[in-house]
Amino acid sequence: MREAMRAKTGELHVHIGGCLTAEDLFELGRDAFEQIDWTLFVDGFEKAYGERPDPAAIYRRGLDGSGADALRPYCVYGAEEGGDFARFQAKFNFSICVFRHWWHVLSREGEVLTRIFEQHRREGVRYVEYRAMAPFGAENPEGFINFHATMAHAIGKACGDGFTARYLISLPRWQPLESYALVRRWLAEQADLQEVVVGLDLCHVEEGYPPDSTRPFFRQLHEDNAARPGHHLDVAYHVGEVFFDKSLESAVRWCHEAAELGAARLGHCTALGLDPASAVARQPGAHVSERASERVAQIDYDLRHIGALRGYGIAVDDDGLRAERSVLAENPERVHRRPYTQERLEDVRRRQSFVLDQLAEMAVVVETCPTSNLRIGAVPSADVHPVQRFLQSRVPLVVGADDPGVFGCTLESEVDWVLEHGALDRKALDARLGDPLRHRFGRCGRSHSPD
């Protein structure tokens, strides 16, 4: 019997709310579907799909014999969805509604969480870093802390018998500093949870939230980590996942900037691995337009890295860029358009190589989630999946399932997907990925201070 690949035993990218399978949701809702508040799911589904589903009718069909299959069209995000984050969220909301009922109405959230922990145990996963986002942020400090305290206590109690779980608190992108301040004050009073809460996570919709907007948060984090080396918090940062609001150059830059700010692991980074020609072909006019302010930020980036970029064969006209910047800065909100040429696409490929090499030098880890990238990231096929480029690079790499219940996958199936579609055999892939636990949070301070 072959020994399990090490990559299948450590899960570093999974959202706890996305772990409930269709079977879980059927069992959890079969006796309560008429009492569950489905507003979030129904409204979101109607907005995303133009259909207002009836959850009671869905469960009745399941109870009439079809079981969990009746729920799948409403809670599993499939390959046919077309890379629409709103559609993904609409189906994720099915799980949220069931979870909230067991939490807030039945006060039995522990049973739901235990179901998730035991599923990972059965799959042979020995170490997991769970993430979760509260339904509110600093505007409701008591609710924010109560939510994360409940999660952290449950995760801590799940440990034992060869299974270790840790927690990353997801901060809302629109108020990371304020929410982080709540986390620090709370943890200062909770010594028993400091071993469990090992990091922070920035996730959900990235469009509209450039890395530079998190600079005050990272500055405070680095100060606190230096002052409290016994409880160093690292950051996992979703970036370059869904980026149709900007140019490919800007999407590549966002990945680099998140690392420069101090993120230790970057989630997805589709923008770094998807071939530019495939990226622009995903939607009509994809990536040709962005706000002038985004182009200005790109110009500043190019001028800051001018020597290194030229070393990768990227032409940087410093005088021309400065002149362009002065014009664009006069109206930063206007739409800036630049069509793609073959020369420009090749330039983006060089930029991807530059940033991947930079991440490797900084020992910043990329968390690739194959099925999630194919569906949410609108990656058109396995042969152009970003993991192909990542495997060929020197960047530290881990494989995660992201939201296994919503995608109908497991960590094992995700690693197997990479084995099937990547260019490495089993032994070579095991050597390339290594032991994912070497990238876990909570071992020691791993992040670095921003420039």
Side-chain angles (χ1 to χ4, degrees), residues 14-15 17-25 72 75-77 401-410:
V14 66
H15 300 270
C19 286
L20 294 174
T21 65
E23 288 77 12
D24 290 326
L25 295 171
R72 294 188 201 283
C75 67
V76 176
Y77 188 81
D402 200 6
D403 298 290
V406 183
F407 295 121
C409 67
T410 63

Side-chain angles (χ1 to χ4, degrees), residues 152-213:
H153 280 294
I155 289 169
K157 291 179 181 177
C159 299
D161 298 325
F163 180 79
T164 301
R166 294 291 182 257
Y167 189 42
L168 274 59
I169 293 177
S170 295
L171 304 176
R173 290 188 195 263
W174 58 92
Q175 50 175 217
L177 179 59
E178 298 88 343
S179 301
Y180 165 67
L182 291 176
V183 171
R184 273 296 188 187
R185 288 198 295 269
W186 166 60
L187 286 176
E189 303 171 355
Q190 300 291 325
D192 60 320
L193 292 179
Q194 291 182 7
E195 183 180 16
V196 176
V197 181
V198 294
L200 306 163
D201 169 49
L202 288 162
C203 65
H204 199 55
V205 177
E206 68 172 301
E207 294 175 322
Y209 298 99
D212 195 62
S213 67

